[in-house]
Amino acid sequence: MKFPFHVIPGDELPIYRQLMRQVVEGVAGGHLAPDDQLPSQREVAEALVISPLTVKKAYDELEREGYIRTSRGQGTFVSAAPPALAEREKRERVRATAQRLVREAFLVGLSLAKVQALVEEEDAALRKERRSMTDGPSKRRQA
Amino acid sequence: MNALELRDVRRGYEGERDVLCGVSLDVKPGEVVALLGRNGAGKTTLLRVTMGLLRPAGGTVRVFGLDPRRDPVEVKRRIGYVSQEQILPGDLSIDAVFEIHRQLFPTWDRALESQLCRRFEMPLATRLDTLSVGQARQVALVCAIAHRPELLLLDEPAGGLDPAARREIIEAAISLLSEHGTAIVFSSHQMADVERIAGRIALLHGGRITLDDDLDALRESYSLAVIPAEGTNRAAIEGAEGCVRLRRRASVWHALFAHTPSQTRDILRTRLGGAEVTCRAITLEDLFVEMVEDPS
């Protein structure tokens, strides 16, 4: 079982949104694979010292959005096929980060071309990380 | 039936202005409400009125439909209360205090008592007046929850405690929540604790509840706009749709809006034209400060 959660006190996002984001990002970054089991709501609440109702809210929303599924008596798992977002939703989801990015770049005087290069660098790093996750340890030994 | 129902509750102290000037608050079973407010805002008074320790000067108090002044025994059996100050007799040992509670409360749960004693590593034979503040608070907490109350009132449960002791108290409250769905009303200045356990916040200010909403909804539907004061007139901001509070901080206005940051940005852009406006989501601590500071 994986425990993909942590709490950032004083964060801009409410705690249930933080938990949701950690699952969505875990799926996107390959840290969470389809059918991985997630800890029970109670385990999350007690480990992070947060209200069980907050965890329930995050799990309910994630289930509604199709990222996780709960089987009665068996537990909660990452969905076999996590949802594909509509193009507009994808853009909206990334927009806030993009806004912050361009503002910070403006403040420190980084050109748009350099920001684009930076984004590409990060993208390459993420792809590399994903490849090593999916290849598994046996293939890595061969290489 | 609501766990707690306050209607227009008024209460003051002799020779002073009323601390509570018409407070109304409903708490449903299983709800966790954080009572916020500055020092002296009346949080303790409100909790003491709820317990039946103080008589309200006006309005009504109902705990599971009962009047705590009329049915004090029944109400106290269904409530657990941890006050800020130590009110248990200091010359008794921890175990002697527990023994009194075992006899007072028919629903006292010995298993829960021992579980909490183990968790807190409680020195049962020690006299209360020789305990540290943290240990004394833990004893008070066991006394408040081992009879499995349906409503738990905590007055500054973290006050005066170091971070580790504070965390232990919060952990105990959370186990209680996940096992029994007890309704909790707690006052606190620790915004991190409030975020961890509260589902709803009620802000007591000027003798009234000035803000009462779901915590996540507040965090997601409010924003703070910072607007340069030079060249912007007060009325233009105040008149903007959704403006809740406005105050001057040095060379800028702080405007609290009941809208998301992007909605607020749009509204202000239309209204103020080219002014350099920044809008951001608001943390609980900022929200608190914006709501209780003088608007000067």
Side-chain angles (χ1 to χ4, degrees):
Chain A
M1 188 184 306
K2 295 189 177 160
F3 195 95
F5 301 114
H6 60 277
V7 167
I8 310 156
D11 190 87
E12 230 172 56
L13 290 177
I15 293 175
Y16 87 99
R17 288 277 178 199
Q18 295 180 24
L19 303 183
M20 287 178 66
R21 187 181 56 188
Q22 287 154 16
V23 168
V24 173
E25 285 178 356
V27 169
H31 297 285
L32 288 175
D35 299 322
D36 273 352
Q37 186 167 12
L38 292 176
S40 72
Q41 294 179 19
R42 188 169 167 173
E43 282 169 313
V44 179
E46 296 195 351
L48 299 181
V49 197
I50 55 175
S51 165
L53 297 173
T54 301
V55 185
K56 182 177 185 323
K57 191 164 174 184
Y59 272 36
D60 285 352
E61 283 285 303
L62 283 166
E63 182 146 15
R64 207 176 51 76
E65 293 187 5
Y67 286 98
I68 61 174
R69 62 185 165 79
T70 302
S71 335
R72 205 171 288 262
Q74 299 200 44
T76 302
F77 302 86
V78 176
S79 297
L85 295 175
E87 195 60 30
R88 203 183 58 82
E89 272 183 87
K90 286 184 197 167
R91 291 167 60 90
E92 281 316 304
R93 199 168 275 225
V94 179
R95 186 181 297 278
T97 313
Q99 278 173 351
R100 211 161 51 220
L101 180 67
V102 296
R103 280 184 173 75
E104 283 201 21
F106 174 76
L107 279 177
V108 299
L110 200 62
S111 72
L112 184 58
K114 285 188 175 145
V115 172
Q116 277 164 349
L118 201 63
V119 170
E120 277 162 26
E121 243 174 67
E122 286 302 321
D123 182 60
L126 176 67
R127 280 171 203 283
K128 194 173 162 202
E129 194 183 323
R130 288 211 59 162
R131 268 199 305 279
S132 69
M133 303 279 298
T134 46
D135 283 353
S138 57
K139 275 197 181 166
R140 225 177 288 160
R141 251 199 314 275
Q142 289 167 8
Chain B
M1 188 194 294
N2 282 327
L4 173 62
E5 239 177 70
L6 303 178
R7 284 287 170 279
D8 289 317
V9 169
R10 285 184 298 109
R11 169 75 207 202
Y13 297 93
E14 211 166 313
E16 288 174 37
R17 221 157 49 130
D18 273 4
V19 182
L20 307 176
C21 325
V23 169
S24 298
L25 183 72
D26 285 348
V27 179
K28 293 190 198 65
E31 241 189 330
V32 183
V33 180
L35 194 57
L36 308 183
R38 304 198 74 162
N39 292 327
K43 304 184 294 292
T44 298
T45 305
L46 185 72
L47 294 175
R48 290 175 63 86
V49 165
T50 303
M51 262 310 272
L53 298 171
L54 288 175
R55 187 195 302 275
T60 56
V61 180
R62 291 291 177 272
V63 177
F64 300 103
L66 302 168
D67 180 345
R69 301 293 294 183
R70 276 227 185 115
D71 293 294
V73 176
E74 177 64 11
V75 165
K76 286 196 178 79
R77 282 191 175 154
R78 299 176 76 171
I79 298 191
Y81 172 59
V82 178
S83 69
Q84 245 172 311
E85 70 275 30
Q86 170 64 0
I87 50 173
L88 297 164
D91 59 345
L92 293 180
S93 70
I94 297 178
D95 197 49
V97 169
F98 287 166
E99 182 53 34
I100 293 172
H101 281 78
R102 286 175 205 135
Q103 284 168 18
L104 275 175
F105 293 101
T107 57
W108 187 269
D109 183 336
R110 290 293 293 260
L112 180 59
E113 177 203 309
S114 356
Q115 184 198 327
L116 288 165
C117 287
R118 274 196 306 276
R119 179 198 279 255
F120 294 143
E121 295 170 16
M122 219 159 246
L124 288 172
T126 313
R127 278 167 59 122
L128 255 54
D129 53 12
T130 61
L131 297 176
S132 70
V133 183
Q135 285 175 315
R137 197 73 55 78
Q138 289 169 345
V139 173
L141 189 71
V142 176
C143 292
I145 66 184
H147 64 290
R148 299 201 175 279
E150 296 158 78
L151 172 63
L152 180 62
L153 307 175
L154 304 172
D155 195 359
E156 281 282 344
L161 301 189
D162 66 61
R166 209 177 92 206
R167 187 57 70 90
E168 277 171 359
I169 297 272
I170 301 289
E171 276 174 3
I174 283 170
S175 325
L176 197 69
L177 274 176
S178 45
E179 279 163 45
H180 310 288
T182 311
I184 300 182
V185 179
F186 73 108
S187 69
S188 180
H189 291 307
Q190 301 288 341
M191 295 302 157
D193 294 348
V194 170
E195 285 222 60
R196 282 180 184 281
I197 52 180
R200 204 175 113 205
I201 66 167
L203 178 70
L204 197 54
H205 188 61
R208 293 194 163 76
I209 303 276
T210 53
L211 191 67
D212 178 356
D213 209 339
D214 180 85
L215 174 61
D216 295 326
L218 275 175
R219 293 283 311 276
E220 291 183 302
S221 60
Y222 277 69
S223 58
L224 186 69
V226 179
I227 307 152
E230 205 182 295
T232 319
N233 89 38
R234 176 181 199 120
I237 310 172
E238 256 172 348
E241 210 275 303
C243 182
V244 180
R245 294 271 294 181
L246 181 66
R247 65 189 188 106
R248 179 77 183 261
R249 303 291 295 151
S251 65
V252 293
W253 292 108
H254 277 195
L256 183 65
F257 274 81
H259 289 298
T260 65
S262 66
Q263 289 166 336
T264 304
R265 201 172 297 122
D266 290 344
I267 290 169
L268 287 173
R269 206 170 275 162
T270 322
R271 225 178 144 82
L272 304 177
E276 188 58 42
V277 175
T278 52
C279 300
R280 56 179 169 81
I282 193 161
T283 62
L284 192 54
E285 184 152 328
D286 286 343
L287 183 66
F288 178 83
V289 172
E290 293 300 330
M291 290 298 292
V292 303
E293 283 272 10
D294 286 334
S296 62

